[in-house]
Amino acid sequence: MTRWIRDYGVYAAVLALLVFNVLFTPHFLDVANFRTQLVQVTPIVIVSLGMALVIGTKGIDLSVGSVMALAAALTALYLGYGAAVAIVVALIGGAVAGAAGGVLVSYVGIQPIVATLALLVGVRGLANVLVPQLVEFRNPDLIALGSNALFGVPLIVIIAAVLTLLLAFLVRRTTFGRQVVAIGGNRAASELSGLPVKRVLVLVYVISGVLAALAGVLATARLQASDPTSLGMFIELSAITAVVVGGTPLSGGRIRVASTVMGALLMQLLSATLIKHNLPQSWTQMVQAVIILAAVYLTRERGKR
Amino acid sequence: EAPQTAAAPTGTAGQQIVQTPTGTAGPTCTLSQFGGEKFDLKSATVGFSQSEKEANPFRIAETKSIKDEAAKLGIANLKVTNAQSQFSKQITDVQQLIAQGAKLLVIAPLNSDGWEPVLQQAASKKVPIITVDRKINAKACTDYLTFIGSDFYEQGKRAADKMIEALGGKGKVAILLGAPGNNVTTERTNGFKDRLKEKAPGVTISFEQTGEFAREKGQQVTEQLIQSNPDINGIYAENDEMALGAVTALKGAGKQPGDIKIVSIDGTRSAVQAIVDGWLHSVIESNPRFGPLAFETAKKFLDGEGIADKVIISDREYDQANAKDSLGEAY
Amino acid sequence: MNREQLGRLLQHHGAMMVLGMLVVVGTLGFDSFATPDNAASIVVSSSFLAVVAIGTTFVIISGGIDLSVGSLFVLGGVLAAFGSQYGFAVALLLPLAVCGLVGLVQGLIIARTGLAPFIVTLAGLLGVRGMMLTISNEGATTYLVKNPAFAALGQGEILGLTYPVYLTIALALAAMVLLQRTGFGQNVYAIGGNEQAAALMGVPVARTKIYVYLMSGLLAGLAGALNAARLSSGVTILGIGMELDAIAAVVIGGTLLTGGAGGVTGTVAGVLLLGVIQSLINQVGNLTSSIQQVVSGAFLALVVVAQRLLSKAQR
Amino acid sequence: MKRTEAVLEARGITKRFPGVVALDDVHLALGAGEVHALVGENGAGKSTLIKVLTGVYQPDEGDLTYDGAAVGFDTPLDAQKVGISTIYQEVNLVPMMSVARNLLLGREPRGRLGVIDTARLYGEARGILREYGIDTDVRRPLRSLGVGAQQMVALARAVSVDAKVVIMDEPTSSLEPREVETLFGVIGRLREAGIAVIYVSHRLDELYRVCDTVTVLRDGRVAHTGPLAGLDRLKLISLMLGRDLAEVKSSGLTRFNRDHDRVGGAPVVEARGLTRRHVLTDVTISVRPGEVVGLGGLLGAGRTETAKAIVGALPLDGGRVLVAGQPLPTGRTVAAIRAGVSMLPEDRKAEGIIPGLSVRDNIALAALPALARAGVVSDARIDRVVEIFMKRLRIKAASPYQAVSELSGGNQQKVLLARWLAVRPKVLLLDEPTRGIDVGAKAEVQALIDELAEEGLGVLLISSDLEELVEGADRILVLREGTVVGELSGDDVTEEKIMAAIAERADD
Ligand SMILES: Nc1ncnc2c1ncn2[C@@H]1O[C@H](COP(=O)(O)OP(=O)(O)OP(=O)(O)O)[C@@H](O)[C@H]1O
Ligand SMILES: Nc1ncnc2c1ncn2[C@@H]1O[C@H](COP(=O)(O)OP(=O)(O)OP(=O)(O)O)[C@@H](O)[C@H]1O
Ligand SMILES: [Mg+2]
Ligand SMILES: [Mg+2]
């Protein structure tokens, strides 16, 4: 039972919140509403996927929000060459930022939280240097990416779903995934077992960077404007919360992909519920605090005293 | 209180105009009353403390206007600091400007309260402070020289007028609030609500959530809003960015221009363009070009003229009638 | 042996040395840098972050982290200003009581349930800000400090420096003694160094953790209250991101985020370092805000990398 | 020796962990001045019992009496307060704190104002340590000491308080002979002073030297309890293993049979002139296929470092490693493993197992690239390999999916061996492969080493157990202070000669 709560608590919580909303929130059952929730949660889901990988190695990536901003800036700068080019450049930017974090963590040996904190400050600044203010765009391809749907499902939601599957595959079925988990479980042992620890670490941060950049591109496409100043502000906290609420421990050595997505959905539904019921900001924050604590308490590692 | 509907006089390209001409209203302050000494503006160190990153049209235009005017006047030693939205940092910034020997301070305060330490220090050195955009809650002429800026409460009221006009005095309205804890948010909200209560009890406020003055947040909140409150008729956004975010949300939900009336405050170029496109109903201006007025005030002060305790600028408003023609003047 | 000592010296006093270097650079580069006024402004404004960071130092040495301090800082200020209408004692004690209580609750949760401090205090960050907004009418009400005695606590000066500066110095000294010279301090190092071992060695792990978070909450609340006294009002927009500044200062000061090592001197140097960098940026007086951010980020990375490489070189 | 009322008594103790009954109705009575041996196989429940006695765990059933009164300890601190002092199995001190502060944590000398008096702190610490033959700068962080010295600090810490009961869980597993003697001296003094001692060890010789009584645990139950004198050694082993005396006799005490007749050919690995400042000086070693080369020496002689240097886990100032004549790139573990050189690390917990992963994943870890197609793991291949090795090494686990951390020490060690065998190495460097594992498992591991050598694997065997070294190795190199000080082969491989080789230079 307790084990069940630990493993499926997030699902139960999401379900409970859904039931509450169906009962008490007008128009909640509209298809359009579900679309809205999924579309809004997409950037957090994508960022959380990378975050889960990083946390699996016992690390943390605070720079994701700033990397989103950088991606937004690069997208705006290169949109003149077409949407595809702009997106590729943005993703490369994310990869470079991620690699910087990864190198600081693995080769230089700086603690992840500090290394990525420096990036959080610096990369956001860089994004602002590149694009000092919000820039609107009219590129039809990019706007289509943000607003089109396939069989009624928004493109960006499909992208997030595919990425989730990909990451689940990566974690469960590939050598790389196993190595990530092993490194998080015991780095010294992994090193002595001949795992390419440093390379894997860099790659993990690169993946996190690329995913954050992609989230930035999609958010930009949806906003129809590039806004490096405020895009992705504090998203690292939401992503970490999603990962942890999903039952991936901050102490590393375990990654739960599907539950991470559920964790993100939980936080999204929660904030949607509070907004729809028009509660003041103060309430929203206090309720969020309580729910986070409750969720993490229920899904915590047991048996260790 | 006189509602200003006038478009800017031609040729001034969006210059600020003073609503209460200096010397006519309120107590005035002269150099001798203030207790300072005359100095030469050109050779003096002048400090400008900006509150937020120059990343939105308002702040960009504001800082640029100050710098440009200083350059025009030949002020060689202008020191600019930026508090990056951290109030504690702004206090320190200003103190360090004083320590660098600034003879005149122009401050765009992040917050109206909490200036005690700066005011004390400036007063003891007799450094005149001109605050722009937002007020400082202190005594003019003793603590600081004067305030130049808009009346946010008044802006809220005028937005309410526009909303009432748009809805014909009846309907449901949602408010996209600014950042919580901000004087601007508070005053623009109060002005709006008071005016509705006073003039149009038929217009009810059924929803108010913060969009934190940001476009993306405005979009997200609006998406939730139109889902759960499809009967909404109007949206009052406390700045243009949130209004434009709301527009994106409405577009995404398949709404047509004008389905939901949006009124906002600021007067950025994009917002005025959105009026032209039919998405926004009207925009109350909040003019950030403080440079000319600030330095003109300083010069007058140094020349011994009396300075009013506040210099309220007359904000224009944009709507279908004038949007297209005024596009060039929006910032 | 000599290399080992050198390494240790760099780890402990690296921040102090960089601070010294920057002060020299600033003095040579700018006429108005080394003036008493400017120095005072750096020291005075740093004192509040320093008080918060002292608490953070304890938390981090114990192997934890406290993200709630920024929110507690602003809550403390609002409560102090609110309380000042009922007199000096209320103004000072109300924020201490509430912020201490929040710290205590966080400590209890962390110590008793084993939840990660990062998450618990993240919830604290949100919840406490919510509390602050509730009290201040969604941030719309700014309480003014009505009690002149309380205002004097933040504004009174001796030798050009305000009282909070002296209080900070006293607190830092007390914290040093607490950390190095008391059983409690030893326990903090022990649980940060190896929690399991500490428990087996008879260290009251749970109690120590609870005290650490209680202390962090109290200090954040105190800093907020002092700041409110200084500003004469309970400003509601303060403290956002302050936890990151505090953590950065602690780390720059040579305290390991993994716990078990570090000290208060380094933290104080770290706080001053951040203040001096800001001041230097202001001295230049024409950097755009985005460049300022890049410089801050790069500098943080530089200091940490340098420290890391130097301490690696010792081995 | 006086035997009085029991100072500490446990009655009917039962302790369950998810999936295991670690202790089942255990009785233990401890008299003043008694040295009580607690023995049993890995996973028999010795450490768990100790943790129950000292308040780390709460028993599910049963009760404790101490000094004639019923007690319950909520935390280790409670037990310490009433005079039960414990050295737990793993070296459990705080590595980053100084030696002195570790030693006196919780009872630092206070000066005026109740503040710790550092001068006295260091003075007292120095004094205490000198008694135990450790002369070191007590201000240094503990981690800068070798494992043995750390263990001695833990010992000194436990014994230097006013205790009525001192519990030692495998205190000698990382001590060198001289330190063991010191320890025995200490135990003698404790006994004189009427202090009761519980002593856990897998080294039977030690038990017979210092213990008065013995309790044998098997699968969480008491299999025997009584005086040790008169209990035959083989009988004791059979009690521990739960097997017939005859069966134990026939299989002998160690499983090595040394004559590897297939030793031959060119060295498969050759280390030349390995040098690292302060640690290794010009160490040259070679291992031929099918050969077991022993590496002897005192603690801190540089044996671990030598092994690490060979697999590229230790940066070197000089020297190189050749595998089948080809030089290895320095400092790259991956390259060494690919070339066929693997190392079983000494510290199982810190450098060996990945606690969160299953037995299966732990075994497959190093071989993953080989067991995958284009980076995608093949479950079928992994299952095959895991099955083979679990069977061959007789790994006792509920299933391959059990978490490795739930296994007993001996089985964890076998999992690690399996991890290395799965990559099919040409040479295995074994650093203390039998440390802390019980007689049964030890024999199995030793037999396995033998078998592997028969099959042509080269083995470098590092062991502090001289008997094991002598019986297992074809050739022995003796290290001292990071230098090879002697090489023994053929009939010269005896415990006496090794001791002599170590001593010869030590007397210089
Ligand atoms: N925290 C725990 N959770 C689950 N099982 C445990 C735990 N601690 C011990 N066990 C199990 O309890 C049993 C007894 O373990 P214990 O450590 O007491 O053995 P031991 O006799 O000390 O062995 P060793 O000689 O290897 O030290 C083992 O089966 C072990 O796997
Ligand atoms: N972290 C460290 N810092 C400083 N010196 C160390 C460190 N680790 C080991 N040494 C030193 O390196 C030398 C070799 O130690 P090592 O542990 O390799 O010995 P060993 O022969 O393998 O002993 P054992 O394996 O039995 O513990 C010793 O002088 C030791 O003090
Ligand atoms: Mg044990
Ligand atoms: Mg060794």
Side-chain angles (χ1 to χ4, degrees), chain D residues 376-453:
Chain D
V376 180
V377 296
S378 152
D379 275 331
R381 287 194 204 179
I382 293 183
D383 283 338
R384 216 174 318 134
V385 169
V386 168
E387 197 193 319
I388 291 173
F389 285 106
M390 284 186 72
K391 218 177 253 164
R392 172 157 185 203
L393 304 193
R394 287 182 287 264
I395 295 173
K396 264 187 267 170
S399 88
Y401 296 94
Q402 190 177 9
V404 77
S405 51
E406 291 171 13
L407 265 47
S408 73
N411 280 303
Q412 289 182 359
Q413 189 72 308
K414 290 187 199 166
V415 167
L416 291 182
L417 266 172
R419 178 191 293 170
W420 289 120
L421 294 178
V423 297
R424 299 181 210 217
K426 296 193 193 115
V427 185
L428 249 185
L429 317 180
L430 303 173
D431 197 354
E432 306 282 2
T434 63
R435 169 179 292 176
I437 70 177
D438 66 60
V439 273
K442 191 166 173 172
E444 284 178 21
V445 169
Q446 290 171 339
L448 189 78
I449 295 172
D450 232 30
E451 225 174 288
L452 294 170

Side-chain angles (χ1 to χ4, degrees), chain A residues 2-305:
Chain A
T2 53
R3 174 147 203 165
W4 187 89
I5 291 184
R6 193 192 75 191
D7 288 349
Y8 300 103
V10 215
Y11 296 83
V14 169
L15 199 70
L17 211 51
L18 280 176
V19 170
F20 172 88
N21 274 298
V22 168
L23 294 179
F24 300 107
T25 308
H27 307 286
F28 190 80
L29 276 178
D30 294 359
V31 176
N33 177 51
F34 286 102
R35 201 179 294 148
T36 301
Q37 305 314 332
L38 288 177
V39 164
Q40 287 199 1
V41 81
T42 296
I44 300 182
V45 164
I46 295 176
V47 169
S48 306
L49 291 176
M51 187 68 80
L53 212 54
V54 174
I55 289 180
T57 67
K58 216 173 190 165
I60 204 152
D61 188 353
L62 299 183
S63 70
V64 284
S66 300
V67 172
M68 281 177 75
L70 179 66
L74 290 173
T75 307
L77 280 184
Y78 286 86
L79 206 51
Y81 301 96
V85 173
I87 293 174
V88 168
V89 172
L91 296 186
I92 291 175
V96 170
V103 167
L104 285 178
V105 169
S106 66
Y107 287 93
V108 187
I110 294 180
Q111 287 148 353
I113 192 169
V114 187
T116 56
L117 175 62
L119 286 174
L120 171 129
V121 181
V123 171
R124 167 97 42 199
L126 181 65
N128 272 132
V129 171
L130 294 176
V131 174
Q133 74 179 105
L134 185 142
V135 182
E136 289 169 6
F137 55 79
R138 296 268 181 269
N139 182 304
D141 297 334
L142 198 56
I143 291 177
L145 176 66
S147 50
N148 279 14
L150 206 65
F151 306 117
V153 186
L155 268 182
I156 63 171
V157 174
I158 295 176
I159 292 175
V162 169
L163 284 174
T164 306
L165 291 178
L166 261 179
L167 201 86
F169 178 79
L170 194 69
V171 169
R172 287 195 206 154
R173 309 278 329 155
T174 65
T175 314
F176 173 74
R178 303 281 169 102
Q179 292 177 335
V180 168
V181 175
I183 291 169
N186 187 341
R187 178 164 171 178
S190 301
E191 254 158 22
L192 286 176
S193 297
L195 307 196
V197 173
K198 290 181 176 163
R199 207 166 0 121
V200 170
L201 278 177
V202 171
L203 202 52
V204 162
Y205 284 87
V206 167
I207 292 176
S208 174
V210 170
L211 286 174
L214 183 62
V217 168
L218 296 183
T220 300
R222 216 169 81 71
L223 191 62
Q224 305 182 4
S226 159
D227 182 10
T229 311
S230 53
L231 185 70
M233 222 35 143
F234 297 117
I235 201 172
E236 64 280 357
L237 297 183
S238 311
I240 293 167
T241 310
V243 172
V244 174
V245 166
T248 299
L250 281 176
S251 47
R254 201 148 71 95
I255 299 175
R256 294 167 40 118
V257 177
S259 305
T260 295
V261 175
M262 278 297 138
L265 268 178
L266 179 67
M267 302 318 293
Q268 170 65 26
L269 273 179
L270 185 65
S271 90
T273 309
L274 296 163
I275 289 180
K276 283 171 188 284
H277 287 264
N278 201 21
L279 287 169
Q281 177 84 0
S282 54
W283 273 81
T284 310
Q285 291 186 333
M286 286 189 286
V287 173
Q288 270 177 349
V290 171
I291 299 277
I292 290 175
L293 277 184
V296 179
Y297 179 73
L298 288 176
T299 56
R300 76 195 188 279
E301 281 299 314
R302 260 165 255 247
K304 273 188 250 158
R305 254 182 41 121

Side-chain angles (χ1 to χ4, degrees), chain C residues 38-263:
Chain C
N38 196 51
S41 85
I42 296 174
V43 172
V44 169
S45 63
S46 298
S47 62
F48 304 94
L49 179 61
V51 172
V52 173
I54 289 172
T56 303
T57 309
F58 276 74
V59 172
I60 290 182
I61 291 178
S62 82
I65 199 155
D66 190 349
L67 301 180
S68 69
V69 288
S71 296
L72 286 168
F73 178 79
V74 63
L75 178 68
V78 171
L79 285 173
F82 171 78
S84 69
Q85 48 190 318
Y86 305 106
F88 182 89
V90 180
L92 191 59
L93 294 181
L94 183 65
L96 288 182
V98 175
C99 295
L101 186 69
V102 172
L104 180 71
V105 169
Q106 293 186 139
L108 277 169
I109 296 176
I110 290 164
R112 300 274 178 227
T113 67
L115 292 187
F118 191 97
I119 278 297
V120 174
T121 56
L122 174 60
L125 176 149
L126 290 171
V128 170
R129 198 160 278 275
M131 278 163 68
M132 184 279 294
L133 288 177
T134 314
I135 297 167
S136 63
N137 181 25
E138 299 302 311
T141 308
T142 302
Y143 298 101
L144 299 182
V145 170
K146 293 281 164 50
N147 184 304
F150 184 66
L153 183 64
Q155 296 167 10
E157 284 189 7
I158 305 172
L159 301 174
L161 296 176
T162 53
Y163 294 161
V165 174
Y166 297 97
L167 198 66
T168 307
I169 295 171
L171 279 173
L173 290 175
M176 261 177 243
V177 172
L178 196 62
L179 211 44
Q180 300 297 336
R181 296 297 194 89
T182 66
F184 170 71
Q186 298 306 295
N187 292 346
V188 173
Y189 278 110
I191 63 176
N194 183 347
E195 182 172 335
Q196 250 185 326
L200 294 179
M201 285 162 94
V203 170
V205 175
R207 185 155 29 107
T208 307
K209 281 192 186 174
I210 293 169
Y211 283 155
V212 163
Y213 288 92
L214 168 65
M215 219 174 94
S216 175
L218 280 174
L219 286 173
L222 175 67
L226 291 175
N227 192 47
R230 168 187 181 226
L231 303 182
S232 274
S233 56
V235 176
T236 56
I237 57 169
L238 291 168
I240 294 171
M242 192 181 203
E243 61 282 347
L244 295 183
D245 286 343
I247 293 171
V250 170
V251 171
I252 289 175
T255 295
L256 294 180
L257 261 177
T258 37

Side-chain angles (χ1 to χ4, degrees), chain D residues 20 60 76 82 96 126 147 203 218 226 241 282 321 338 365 406 427 436 503:
Chain D
V20 233
D60 297 318
V82 299
M96 271 184 287
R126 220 169 284 129
V147 191
R203 299 186 185 169
R218 191 168 67 233
L241 301 185
D282 199 19
V321 179
R338 209 168 286 152
L365 187 68
E406 291 171 13
V427 185

Side-chain angles (χ1 to χ4, degrees), chain B residues 53-54 79-82 84 87-89 91-93 95-96 99-100 111 113-114 116-117 120 125 181 186, chain C residues 32 37-38 41-42 45 139-140 142 155 230-233 235-238 278-279 282-283 285 289 292-293:
Chain B
K53 278 207 259 182
E54 286 93 4
K79 296 270 180 190
V80 182
T81 63
N82 190 309
Q84 323 237 11
F87 185 64
S88 306
K89 181 170 183 309
I91 300 288
T92 313
D93 283 348
Q95 288 184 325
Q96 295 187 347
Q100 285 181 51
N111 197 59
D113 294 300
E116 200 62 38
Q120 279 176 4
K125 300 210 163 176
T186 313
Chain C
S32 51
D37 277 354
N38 196 51
S41 85
I42 296 174
S45 63
T142 302
Q155 296 167 10
R230 168 187 181 226
L231 303 182
S232 274
S233 56
V235 176
T236 56
I237 57 169
L238 291 168
Q278 272 314 332
S279 174
N282 282 350
Q283 292 285 334
S289 48
Q292 292 185 18
Q293 241 180 326

Side-chain angles (χ1 to χ4, degrees), chain D residues 234-250:
Chain D
L234 284 177
K235 173 74 181 149
L236 182 61
I237 292 171
S238 78
L239 282 169
M240 285 162 61
L241 301 185
R243 281 193 233 133
D244 278 348
L245 199 54
E247 195 190 326
V248 174
K249 260 184 187 143
S250 73

